[in-house]
């Protein structure tokens, strides 16, 4: 009877339903029979023994009479079962499909890449599988085959990956063993096919596996390395082949410099004497990086054997054309420099464009077509649109630098003796006048005349030399006299100008008048210095009155900016906000003029905290108390008042320290907690104080500050216990107000609830009624708050923001007068974006409580420690200290610990590992970061990360083969892609989607994620997922949210969590709401008809690297500066290295005009293939 009752109960279990029950269980748990079979067959050999079958069933949670089930499955009694015995239809269909793929493509990896996933997306849909079966001529139910291959029972997941399709092929792709040398014969689903090995030949990929695969894989790697080395050597000899002929050398020069004339002036004839010797030729080729038969090339160029080269030896036609042009200019103006000044550069701007050059040539008798040819010939670069004096003639350029307009120093313009007379036939005076010194002195005298100097542009036509023009110059350049005073005149910021400082500032402004007269006019002769009041009394009165009123209302610049304007110190204000503040203060002058005077430059539309009063802002950065009203606008306070301020501020260093700690950590309590880490310090020593000073950039004497704090402590304690107590400082001496606020809050909470833990639970649940519903009327119908993600489970996951904390204190009648102040003091890291309290922040209230009483105040049981002898006590202390170390046996354990600490590996990389934000982590940085976190055996973890051979493999045969291989050279540094491949790929595609749609990450994040409702800088998970769909990103947004969040349990993301924000003043409100700027796809002509050089570039990339895509990545993206965007200079340099000949710069400019971008990407060279519809 009991057995019958037991059998009745077992009917409800899948284990009691035989083979059909096992099939149903596998489908429900894994999504398909194939996925369930692979869960059973962990070694992927296509068969299961009884031992493997029992272990796999127990591991997946399948219960039942396994022995009877085995007898039902093993019908042929051969000691093992296959997929055909479990599900005959699925086994035969999968085996036939795999056999057809192997016969067509050779191996499963090639079949996946060329036959199934032809678009390279890494994931296939049912339509792609159906198209593959049609190409193979394989007749089957593709819908059923697709469902068999699925590895997830959820209907919301789409697509199949290579790992789901064939695990062996996925392993080959990941390890790089494309031929499967290190893998066994992939006989899965093939052995049960009828006639396999007899009527049907075994596929080559399965039959070719033999022992010694590791050696074959090693030989293959060596062959690839040799091929790469040969390719590098071949590339290095490409330039040598171009130097075998004169024509090849000229083509290389044109490719490198743009033209032969530009190469002659910029690379060959550096001294500008019009000729180069053999030594200069060798040095020039070495500088250009050309190597080969230099002497043979010299003989090919120097056909006349004169021993030097002229430009005519490179290009005779161009030399004749230039010579005729220069002769006409010398005949008309005497020399080339005067021709440039008087004929070509009449506007004295230093350059001429093609239109002006053509007009000048037409005046000399040239046609417009000939003038255009001359202009193109003289341009040093193909893309240049202007011609300078140096491009026009090197000798004229050098003479212009010396002021020699007759070009006497260059051997031109010297007066010749008349009638062929020699120097001995001349008189003494004639010989003196014909000498070089006399002629060049006369030329300099003529050049210094005002008319000639204005004609040649040596002096400006307008000179600032009056006081009115001095003030107008200040206004034109900086917008106001106050801005000129702050940025140019008063450079040291002491509020006054001495005569020497005044003269230097006038020279920087370009004032060329009488400095002494200007100094006397401003009253500097009587006082010995001048201030802003003497320069602009009206502006000084407006700004001084405003700062005085602001100081009387708020006191400090920080309080005025936060309480008055309602802004964060990193934000800015506009004119309406300033006008509103002036109205509240009763400002008697014009707020519009005040806003104009405070602007640091012309045309500004906002003001920062630095623009209000730079001196107060400098004090704020130093840690001083930046009180408004002590200094005037433009730093116009007198020296006596400044010295008094300095003496008063230097008398006490503690207030400066408190201000510096608040700027760095947010509060003195947060700074105190940062010293002890997990352990809360009761007192600090001098070394702790030095650490604080180093972190907050405090300017002052550390010893003097310590003596001041210790002296205050000794004065406050009437009965000192000795010098040992005087050598430590408490928070009460460091910040008495903060300690008093913490004491009052602790007393109120403990007196009301008995302990801090009970108080925390009561505060978190204060807005819920007995049924777990909210008490506020707006959310009466909402779900219970205890069931929300932030409230469910342990109280350690609860959070309270400032509004919730203040409301809870008022509802529970805690008795705190200023709960907002207590909230700010309890925050552990407010400067890093913490805006809510957690349970761990209760430890701030324990500061000032004796260590033995802390457990009682917190509400924890007091630990009873046995009395130990000194040796046992030391052993226990040593054990407790070392037990804090994190024992990580592998890299996987390290990553788990980092995720628990930082929320994600992406956050751990940015905050702990890559602290210098250069994208690379060296071994030293990695080991220091992990040791500071308490990890042990860091060396083995680094070895596992950088050397793939260090990872254990389950296959003993592969282990033995790897033992005989030479160890791979470990990496010296790693990137985030090496640390976390999955997150790097997902975040890279997400970032690329934002860049393609909006052009920038900051603008894209603000428009796509912050501006949609609900607006705000904090983007919650549901909003992030929704906006990712609107962005068009095809990845798993929910998974990406978890992979990049900045803290454990954080329910939102900010821009700073993903990228570095270089502009702290930018906010969502500053970005207008408008449709996103979609980049128009370039027309087909932008890729195909942009320039004939495009085919040559593709051919060069395919010849050297096998494909244009791989060649672009290696030649253009990987060299420094690394990145997918290639600018013009980098493109020209890399094309020269590839040996691409032609108008490279013109090709880049045409492509730039077609696409509207200043850079090139991969799709410009190899555009994406359009996907078929459906």
């Amino acid at each position: 009877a009991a057995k019958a009752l037991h059998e009745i109960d077992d009917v409800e279990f899948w284990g009691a339903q035989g083979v059909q029950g096992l099939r149903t269980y596998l489908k429900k748990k894994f999504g398909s029979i194939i996925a369930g079979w692979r869960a059973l067959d962990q070694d992927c050999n296509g068969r299961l023994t009884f031992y493997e079958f029992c272990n796999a069933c127990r591991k997946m949670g399948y219960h039942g009479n396994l022995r009877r089930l085995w007898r039902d499955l093993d019908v042929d009694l051969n000691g093992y079962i296959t997929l055909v015995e479990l599900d005959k239809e699925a086994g035969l269909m999968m085996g036939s499909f795999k056999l057809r793929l192997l016969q067509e493509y050779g191996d499963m990896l090639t079949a996946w890449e060329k036959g199934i996933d032809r678009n390279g997306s890494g994931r296939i849909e049912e339509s792609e599988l159906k198209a593959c079966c049609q190409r193979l001529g394989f007749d089957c139910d593709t819908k059923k085959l697709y469902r068999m291959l699925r590895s997830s029972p959820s209907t919301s997941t789409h697509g199949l990956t290579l790992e789901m399709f064939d695990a062996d092929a996925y392993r080959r792709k990941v390890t790089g063993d494309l031929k499967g040398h290190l893998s066994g014969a992939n006989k899965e689903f093939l052995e049960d096919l009828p006639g396999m090995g007899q009527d049907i030949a075994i596929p080559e990929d399965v039959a070719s596996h033999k022992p010694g695969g590791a050696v074959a894989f090693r030989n293959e790697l060596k062959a690839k390395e040799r091929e790469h080395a040969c390719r590098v050597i071949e590339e290095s000899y490409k330039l040598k082949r171009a130097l075998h002929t004169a024509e090849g050398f000229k083509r290389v020069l044109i490719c490198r410099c743009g033209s032969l004339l530009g190469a002659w002036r910029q690379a060959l004839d550096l001294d500008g004497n019009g000729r180069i010797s053999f030594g200069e030729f060798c040095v020039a080729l070495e500088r250009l990086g050309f190597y080969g038969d230099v002497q043979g090339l010299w003989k090919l160029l120097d056909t006349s054997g004169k021993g030097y080269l002229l430009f005519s030896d490179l290009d005779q036609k161009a030399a004749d054309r230039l010579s005729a042009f220069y002769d006409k200019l010398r005949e008309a103006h005497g020399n080339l420099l005067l021709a440039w000044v008087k004929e070509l550069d009449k506007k004295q701007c230093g350059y001429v464009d093609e239109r002006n050059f053509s007009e000048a040539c037409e005046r000399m008798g040239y046609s417009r077509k000939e003038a255009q040819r001359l202009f193109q010939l003289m341009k040093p670069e193909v893309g240049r649109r202007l011609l300078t004096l140096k491009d026009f003639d090197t000798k004229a350029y050098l003479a212009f630098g010396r002021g020699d307009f007759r070009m006497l120093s260059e051997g031109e313009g010297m007066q010749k003796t008349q009638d062929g007379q020699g120097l001995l036939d001349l008189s003494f005076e004639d010989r003196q006048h014909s000498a070089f010194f006399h002629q060049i002195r006369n030329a300099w005298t003529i050049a210094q005349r005002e008319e000639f100097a204005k004609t040649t542009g040596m002096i400006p036509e307008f000179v600032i030399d009056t006081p009115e023009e001095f003030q107008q110059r200040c206004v034109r350049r900086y917008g106001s006299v106050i801005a000129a005073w702050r940025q140019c005149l008063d450079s040291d910021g002491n509020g006054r100008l001495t005569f020497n400082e005044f003269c230097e500032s006038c020279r920087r402004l370009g004032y060329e008048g009488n400095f002494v007269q200007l100094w006397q006019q401003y009253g500097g002769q009587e006082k010995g210095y001048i201030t802003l009041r003497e320069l602009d009394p009206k502006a000084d009165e407006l700004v001084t009155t405003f700062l005085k009123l602001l100081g009387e209302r708020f006191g400090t610049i920080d309080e005025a900016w936060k309480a008055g304007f309602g802004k964060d110190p990193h934000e800015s204000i506009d004119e309406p906000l300033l006008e509103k503040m002036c109205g509240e203060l009763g400002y008697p002058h014009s707020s519009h003029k005040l806003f104009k005077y405070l602007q640091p430059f012309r045309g500004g539309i906002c003001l920062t905290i630095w623009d209000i009063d730079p001196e107060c802002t400098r004090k704020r950065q130093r840690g001083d108390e930046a009180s408004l009203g002590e200094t005037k606008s433009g730093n116009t306070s007198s020296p006596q008042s400044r010295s008094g301020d300095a003496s008063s501020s230097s008398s006490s260093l503690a207030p400066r320290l408190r201000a510096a700690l608040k700027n760095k950590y947010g509060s003195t309590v947060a700074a105190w907690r940062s010293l002890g880490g997990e352990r809360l310090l009761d007192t600090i020593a001098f070394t702790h104080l030095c650490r604080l000073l180093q972190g907050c950039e405090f300017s002052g004497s550390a010893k003097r500050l310590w003596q001041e704090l210790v002296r205050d402590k000794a004065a406050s304690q009437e009965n000192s216990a000795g010098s040992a107590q005087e050598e430590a400082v408490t928070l009460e001496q460091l910040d008495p107000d903060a300690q008093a606020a913490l004491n009052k809050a602790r007393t109120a909470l403990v007196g009301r609830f008995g302990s801090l833990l009970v108080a925390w639970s009561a505060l978190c649940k204060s807005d819920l009624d007995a049924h777990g519903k909210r008490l506020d009327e707006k959310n009466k119908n909402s779900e219970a708050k205890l069931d929300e993600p932030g409230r469910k489970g342990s109280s350690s996951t609860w959070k309270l923001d400032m509004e919730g904390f203040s409301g809870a204190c008022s509802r529970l009648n805690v008795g705190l007068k200023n709960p907002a102040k207590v909230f700010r003091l309890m925050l552990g890291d407010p400067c890093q974006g913490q805006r809510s309290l957690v349970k761990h922040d209760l430890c701030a209230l324990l500061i000032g409580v004796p260590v033995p009483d802390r457990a009682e105040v917190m509400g924890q049981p007091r630990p009873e420690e046995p009395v130990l002898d000194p040796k046992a006590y030391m052993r226990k202390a040593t054990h407790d200290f070392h037990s804090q170390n994190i024992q990580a046996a592998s890299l996987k354990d390290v990553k788990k610990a980092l995720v628990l600490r930082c929320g994600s590996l992406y956050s751990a990389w940015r905050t702990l590992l890559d602290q210098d934000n250069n994208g690379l982590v060296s071994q030293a940085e990695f080991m220091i970061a992990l040791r500071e976190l308490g990890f042990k055996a860091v060396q083995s973890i680094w070895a596992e990360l950088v050397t793939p051979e260090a990872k254990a493999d389950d296959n003993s045969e592969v282990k033995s083969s790897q033992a005989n291989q030479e160890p791979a050279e470990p990496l010296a540094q790693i990137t985030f892609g090496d640390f976390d491949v999955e997150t790097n790929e997902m975040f890279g595609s997400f970032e690329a989607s934002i860049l393609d749609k909006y052009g920038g990450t900051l603008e894209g994040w603000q428009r796509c994620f912050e501006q949609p409702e609900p607006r705000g800088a904090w983007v919650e998970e549901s909003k992030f997922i929704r906006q990712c769909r609107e962005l068009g990103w095809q990845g798993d947004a929910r998974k990406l949210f978890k992979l990049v969040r900045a803290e454990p349990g954080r329910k939102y993301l900010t821009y700073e969590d993903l990228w570095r924000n270089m502009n702290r003043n930018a906010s969502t409100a500053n970005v207008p709401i408008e449709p996103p700027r979609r980049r128009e796809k370039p027309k087909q002509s932008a890729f195909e008809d942009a320039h004939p050089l495009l085919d040559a570039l593709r051919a060069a990339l395919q010849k050297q690297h096998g494909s244009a895509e791989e060649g672009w990545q290696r030649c253009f993206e990987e060299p420094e500066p690394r990145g997918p965007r290639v600018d013009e200079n980098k493109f020209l340099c890399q094309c020269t290295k590839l040996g691409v000949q032609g108008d490279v710069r013109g090709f880049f400019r045409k492509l730039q005009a077609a696409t509207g971008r200043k850079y090139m990407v991969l799709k410009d060279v190899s555009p994406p293939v359009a996907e078929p519809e459906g």
Side-chain angles (χ1 to χ4, degrees), residues 895 905 975-988:
K895 291 184 177 181
L905 294 180
T975 62
F976 182 66
D978 303 324
F979 187 65
D980 189 358
V981 180
E982 181 182 13
T983 306
N984 184 58
E985 292 178 353
M986 291 187 68
F987 183 74

Side-chain angles (χ1 to χ4, degrees), residues 35 126 224 469 509 585 622:
E126 183 180 347
K224 290 183 179 179
E469 294 172 348
L509 281 171
L585 295 175
R622 293 195 301 266

Side-chain angles (χ1 to χ4, degrees), residues 749 752-753 759 762-768 775-776 785 791 800-820 823 837:
L749 291 174
R752 176 74 171 81
F753 301 101
L763 291 174
C764 293
K765 298 179 180 179
S766 63
D767 57 346
L768 303 179
L775 295 176
D776 56 354
K785 200 167 185 178
R791 296 296 187 92
L800 279 178
D801 55 6
M802 181 181 292
E803 183 180 356
F805 182 79
S806 302
C809 292
S810 62
R811 284 192 294 270
L812 297 177
N813 298 324
V814 176
L816 293 180
K817 294 183 178 180
N818 193 353
F823 178 85
L837 290 177

